Amino acid sequence: MSTENEGTAVPPAPSAPPVPVDAPAASTPQASEAGAPTTPIPPVPPHASGGAQGPELVHAGPAPAYASAEGGAQQAASGAPQHHGPGPEGAWPPPQSPGTPLYADGGAGGAGGAWGSGYQQPAPKPKNGRGGLVAAVLVAALVAGGLGGGLGYTLAKDNDNGSSTTLSASDSGGSVKRDAGTVAGVAQKALPSTVTIEAESTSGEGGTGTGFVFDTQGHIVTNNHVVADAVDGGKLSATFPNGKKYDAEVVGHAQGYDVAVIKLKNAPSDLKPLTLGNSDQVAVGDSTIAIGAPFGLSNTVTTGIISAKDRPVASSDGSGSNASYMSALQTDASINPGNSGGPLLDAQGNVIGINSAIQSTSGGGLGGTSQSGSIGLGFAIPINQAKYVAQQLIQTGKPVYAKIGASVSLEDSTGGAKITTEGAGGSDPVEAGGPAAKAGLKPGDVITKLDDHVIDSGPTLIGEIWTHKPGDKVKITYERSGKTHTVDLTLGARTGDS
């Protein structure tokens, strides 16, 4: 499925949700004549796995788009857009295809695809230099009139000695107590540690997004597409709900994961990091609370539930250069452009994900003539994955991606992820001496499962691989010449986005 980031228009969903493990196997997709590259991240297929046109997605952040286990697959000779995976010679990420979804935040994310929460790209900043989404000003006039009077009556009887009594209603409802487990209690605790981020490029363009306090040193976690404009010499700031605003700088960013870390300059000494939960223990139906700046309305709180887990999502920021993949948490909490990078909390106030993209029925993006909004299909990066990425960015400034060392097709399919016959830039589709080669995988093999997770396409495989760390051992199930095989594989590593 492809989505839009909060802020940019998203292309149609690339694939349907993974089928149940016991579901009948779908037919093996045909390999493209030209094959698919191995290294760069390819754009998301324009249609769902089953061939049906999916709704358009908008990002709360950048939209992922490729299906290669290593970061991309080459475009089919039939004319489908080319996608480049993280092959040894291929550039990464590859150009975005017309079908690539967009992020869902207008400053908290960009337009993206249904592989994550929707996000739209922010509109160009005005000449005065102020960028991001321009929030609508809501004005309400309340006019009330009436008569107030005390209700009383006098009891006059022969035996009451002329006494009278006046009765009046109480004017106090008692004190209001908000327990820690209530939405109000969670919001009261989490809001002071959530910031609204404004990013501006050297040309004056930019947008608004969201982030949250990661540690006491001033590190803030957000989406890559939220801060992308400020990476090369731009301006970046973070504003807390109390109105205090701090300049910030990008510490590191990962396009493929759509995660970034910024650091406050002259950070205050009383920062309170949000508590990180365990996204692996999240269950469908669990309550969720999202905090962000939808359409520039900072410190907005919305609620919902976990609608699905392990939802394959590929999204892009619409620029044609950034793509990301995730095995996302799906929620129906309202997420709109500007929510990207904000925390998705559980009922106890623990961060379980980073809001990144939404699916939308609108064709407009934050940078287009119209802007998409929430239809109850939002996507968040699981916090277990985001935590690992953030720690790598803080330590080294560069992301580290797990890989199998093979290029897979990005074509629409429900039969699995097919290893291509040609790699990016003429490189080998199976990296010599890489994890896939050591496990005995060959071009033409169709990967159908990774551990217990069903793989229905290349993008699904990539998103699933990236939930692991380099060095992790996984079980790969694949089909060759009509027969099913299973092998153990130790994931390799690739550093950086290029």
Side-chain angles (χ1 to χ4, degrees):
M1 177 190 306
S2 65
T3 58
E4 298 177 15
N5 285 329
E6 301 170 6
T8 11
V10 178
S15 72
V19 296
V21 176
D22 58 350
S27 59
T28 302
Q30 296 298 320
S32 64
E33 296 179 10
T38 59
T39 309
I41 296 181
V44 178
H47 301 292
S49 300
Q53 179 73 37
E56 184 172 6
L57 302 176
V58 182
H59 269 232
Y66 82 93
S68 160
E70 292 194 34
Q74 187 174 23
Q75 170 184 3
S78 61
Q82 292 189 353
H83 305 289
H84 300 280
E89 298 181 10
W92 187 95
Q96 176 188 353
S97 74
T100 302
L102 304 179
Y103 291 102
D105 77 336
W115 262 52
S117 308
Y119 149 89
Q120 295 181 320
Q121 285 295 97
K125 298 179 70 66
K127 294 182 179 180
N128 60 11
R130 292 184 60 81
L133 297 177
V134 179
V137 178
L138 306 180
V139 180
L142 303 180
V143 180
L147 295 176
L151 172 62
Y153 62 93
T154 302
L155 299 178
K157 292 186 178 179
D158 292 340
N159 59 355
D160 68 358
N161 297 319
S163 64
S164 64
T165 303
T166 300
L167 304 180
S168 62
S170 171
D171 60 359
S172 174
S175 61
V176 177
K177 181 179 180 180
R178 295 179 176 86
D179 296 330
T182 63
V183 173
V186 169
Q188 187 175 40
K189 182 178 179 180
L191 276 169
S193 298
T194 304
V195 299
T196 297
I197 298 173
E198 293 183 8
E200 182 179 326
S201 68
T202 53
S203 63
E205 296 183 351
T208 301
T210 308
F212 61 91
V213 178
F214 187 70
D215 59 28
T216 57
Q217 284 71 52
H219 290 110
I220 304 293
V221 172
T222 183
N223 283 145
N224 170 70
H225 69 264
V226 170
V227 302
D229 284 331
V231 169
D232 298 320
K235 296 180 181 179
L236 195 64
S237 67
T239 304
F240 286 84
N242 61 7
K244 293 184 178 180
K245 186 175 183 178
Y246 298 85
D247 290 333
E249 60 184 355
V250 178
V251 172
H253 61 106
Q255 293 178 356
Y257 291 124
D258 193 22
V259 173
V261 175
I262 66 175
K263 187 174 184 180
L264 304 178
K265 296 179 180 180
N266 301 315
S269 59
D270 59 349
L271 290 175
K272 295 182 179 180
L274 291 183
T275 302
L276 305 185
N278 185 344
S279 51
D280 290 341
Q281 295 181 352
V282 171
V284 173
D286 282 352
S287 297
T288 58
I289 301 170
I291 300 179
F295 298 103
L297 299 175
S298 301
N299 316 316
T300 296
V301 177
T302 56
T303 63
I305 62 169
I306 291 293
S307 305
K309 295 181 60 178
D310 303 321
R311 184 70 77 191
V313 174
S315 54
S316 158
D317 63 359
S319 68
S321 61
N322 300 330
S324 58
Y325 297 80
M326 69 184 99
S327 184
L329 296 176
Q330 181 181 326
T331 180
D332 65 348
S334 181
I335 296 175
N336 287 285
N339 274 107
S340 285
L344 182 67
L345 310 170
D346 62 18
Q348 288 70 48
N350 304 309
V351 181
I352 55 175
I354 300 177
N355 300 318
S356 178
I358 61 173
Q359 183 165 341
S360 173
T361 57
S362 170
L366 289 189
T369 57
S370 63
Q371 205 165 27
S372 301
S374 173
I375 58 171
L377 296 174
F379 304 89
I381 303 166
I383 195 59
N384 288 8
Q385 177 183 12
K387 176 183 177 181
Y388 163 73
V389 177
Q391 291 172 335
Q392 289 291 326
L393 294 176
I394 292 173
Q395 292 171 9
T396 68
K398 296 182 179 180
V400 178
Y401 298 89
K403 70 172 186 177
I404 66 170
S407 174
V408 297
S409 173
L410 296 177
E411 295 179 345
D412 291 351
S413 166
T414 56
K418 185 173 184 177
I419 298 179
T420 59
T421 57
E422 183 178 338
S427 63
D428 294 332
V430 177
E431 179 185 340
K438 291 179 180 179
L441 294 174
K442 299 179 179 180
D445 289 345
V446 179
I447 298 174
T448 57
K449 290 178 64 176
L450 190 153
D451 290 333
D452 294 329
H453 295 274
V454 174
I455 303 300
D456 63 352
S457 66
T460 299
L461 176 61
I462 295 172
E464 200 57 51
I465 288 174
W466 285 358
T467 64
H468 293 78
K469 302 179 181 65
D472 284 355
K473 293 183 178 180
V474 297
K475 191 177 295 294
I476 298 291
T477 300
Y478 66 96
E479 295 180 356
R480 177 188 297 171
S481 301
K483 295 183 179 180
T484 300
H485 307 271
T486 300
V487 295
D488 292 325
L489 180 150
T490 300
L491 297 173
R494 175 174 61 79
T495 301
D497 283 318
S498 59

